[in-house]
Amino acid sequence: MSHVVILGVFVADTAYRADRMPVMGETVLGNSFSLGPGGKGSNQAVAAGRLGVKVSMISRLGKDDFGQMAIDTWKSSGVTPYIEEDVSSYTGAAFIFIEENSGDNAIIISPGAAANISPIDLEKRKDLIANADVFITQLEQPLAAAKKGLEIAKSAKVKTILNPAPATKLPDGFLTLCDFITPNETETETLTGVKVSTLDDAKIACEKFKEMGVETPIITLGEKGAYLHEHGLIQSYKVGQVLETTGAGDAFNGGFAAALSEGRSTLESINFGCATAGISVTRAGTAPSMPTRDEVEKIL
Ligand code: RIB
């Protein structure tokens, strides 16, 4: 079975649906609330796990109810945890505002114990990473840990994916560790300075990423799909009414990583990621919205 190793964060998502965001000093009445599993790395692990590949998740948790939620979520999704438990900290949480009309979101995340993931945690998992087919990480945990994981994977010739979310300026040379990068439009602008409004902009941004050392840049374009360097747009899948887009990027990355680990081509893997995301946006929540392999195969 192909193997995806994920370095990332679990947090409990506290999601509020309301007509609009309050302004500072104001209280608005919300329409609904839900609590569920989230965190970009964990969501990507759940997505890949439900698609049936072997998934290992490297992270840190507190010893508390949200930590137990992480363990239960991974167990039911076929994800094997490689976790440091940090009794002096807590498992993090995310505030998610979902705009009722559009389904668009705004997020604040406090990673808690996962903010202490260190390069030493990655050194401990060196063999696990070096024997994977794909290593993927995001930027919710410290940059030094992401760098160490990418270095271990790259030197073992394991395919590396960086989902640079949330976007932050990266040190020189960091992107040479990435076989693939999967930013959305705003993350692309933060990293390259190129504002992406059109496919021509995406092409220019991809060229910039190449200059910065990325092997294969992919820019996700929301409802349009994803732009692959030297190919162009790969269309999204529209399979029903859009309910919530919060987990869409993670669904794409989990689906892309799973397909890539099975030896599919970059193009096929992006298409698989788009199909995974296309289903997830028709459902509520982040991790709970991830589809099974059968559901994805059906729409491909
Ligand atoms: O990508 C969506 C995720 O970002 C949410 O689950 C939230 O926890 C934040 O990490």
Side-chain angles (χ1 to χ4, degrees), residues 11 13 38-40 43 94 96 107 109 140 246 250 286:
V11 292
D13 281 352
K40 294 182 195 301
N43 293 341
I96 302 182
I107 301 177
I109 167 183
E140 288 186 328
T246 321
D250 297 330
T286 53

